[in-house]
Amino acid sequence: MSDTQIWLIIALIGIGTFVIRFSFLGLIGGRDLPDWALRLLRYTPVAVLPGLVAPLVVWPPATGGETDPARLAASLMTLVVGYFTKNLLAAIFAGAGTLFVLLNVLA
């Protein structure tokens, strides 16, 4: 593949990304959104984070894509601590601690 083709692909991807984002941000602009849309948009970060983390838990690259009980237990511990404490840092440290113990101490 030549340098020209690579730069052409990069430019096309950039234009496509701009068009997709502009279709939401540019066309809506300063208009008020309905209450139901605002309510749904509040949950966007909560929906995105599991989407980013789930593949690392279920098909971790560190194990060659095999499901690992240590990572499943760490994610479960994170969910449980986060649900009961409503504290992000406590959930993160509980999950990280569980993963560390299961991978290094018990293995």
Side-chain angles (χ1 to χ4, degrees), residues 52-61 66-68 71-76:
L52 293 173
V53 173
L56 298 174
V57 171
V58 180
W59 306 284
E66 297 290 325
T67 303
D68 184 19
R71 285 168 176 79
L72 289 175
S75 65
L76 183 63

Side-chain angles (χ1 to χ4, degrees), residues 27-81:
L27 296 178
I28 291 175
R31 295 183 194 152
D32 292 332
L33 293 174
D35 289 338
W36 62 268
L38 292 174
R39 188 173 54 241
L40 292 176
L41 287 173
R42 281 187 291 174
Y43 298 109
T44 302
V46 177
V48 169
L49 190 58
L52 293 173
V53 173
L56 298 174
V57 171
V58 180
W59 306 284
T63 62
E66 297 290 325
T67 303
D68 184 19
R71 285 168 176 79
L72 289 175
S75 65
L76 183 63
M77 180 61 75
T78 303
L79 287 174
V80 169
V81 170

Side-chain angles (χ1 to χ4, degrees), residues 1 4-14:
M1 185 174 286
T4 305
Q5 289 176 322
I6 292 173
W7 282 109
L8 180 64
I9 290 171
I10 291 172
L12 290 175
I13 290 172

